[in-house]
Amino acid sequence: MSKLVITLLNLLVVLLLQIFPGNVSVKLNVPSEVRAGTEFNVTVILDKGDLEGFSRFQQTIPAGLTALQGSSSNADFSFGEKRVRLIWLRTPSDKEITVTYRVKIDERLKGTFMLDGKFSYIENNERKSVDIDPIAITILPSPDVDPSLIVDVNDF
């Protein structure tokens, strides 16, 4: 009987670890379609649990798009070489952090690209990271630009 109870408890622990893999998660809110020559918001929602040390969010965006600082929740925002970086030397104490920045789209672009990213942090003196599931964003061509000048975002 005791072997059965121990086996059931072990099975329960394994199932709980699969259901709740960790206490850090990241979600992106972006539009699925945007118009070339305009701007759109990228909202990053970090559910960080009790994490309070160093952390970094980074995301690569295609050429022809430019990231502009928005609401960064005390993070050091930078954009260069097609990479958005938000760095916290000490992550805010709130369990959930919302960060927003703007992306400006070159007016000559069209096509679809994938937006993903990575949130890295230190927990118990060990480096960990959470990959963000990619989201497809379609750039609709600007009606104000000559069609012969329009370039696919992946070829820009």
Side-chain angles (χ1 to χ4, degrees), residues 60-151:
T60 301
I61 61 175
L65 279 66
T66 306
L68 309 167
Q69 184 170 0
S71 164
S72 62
S73 278
N74 296 324
D76 180 27
F77 175 91
S78 66
F79 174 69
E81 299 178 9
K82 303 187 300 183
R83 188 167 299 173
V84 174
R85 286 190 181 110
L86 293 158
I87 297 175
W88 291 269
L89 295 178
R90 182 161 180 82
T91 308
S93 60
D94 300 331
K95 290 201 181 285
E96 185 175 279
I97 301 169
T98 301
V99 175
T100 303
Y101 68 90
R102 299 198 50 77
V103 175
K104 183 177 180 180
I105 309 163
D106 188 284
E107 64 184 4
R108 298 168 290 165
L109 292 179
K110 70 170 184 175
T112 300
F113 68 97
M114 301 302 285
L115 189 63
D116 57 7
K118 181 180 277 195
F119 180 66
S120 303
Y121 57 97
I122 306 292
E123 184 176 60
N124 298 326
N125 292 325
E126 184 180 332
R127 184 175 179 198
K128 296 185 178 183
S129 63
V130 175
D131 290 323
I132 299 167
D133 293 331
I135 298 175
I137 300 176
T138 301
I139 301 173
L140 304 173
S142 173
D144 301 331
V145 175
D146 182 345
S148 66
L149 299 175
I150 295 176
V151 178

Side-chain angles (χ1 to χ4, degrees), residues 33-48:
E33 289 185 347
V34 294
R35 173 86 48 201
T38 65
E39 296 180 1
F40 67 93
N41 284 336
V42 174
T43 302
V44 182
I45 301 166
L46 303 168
D47 184 359
K48 60 155 201 79

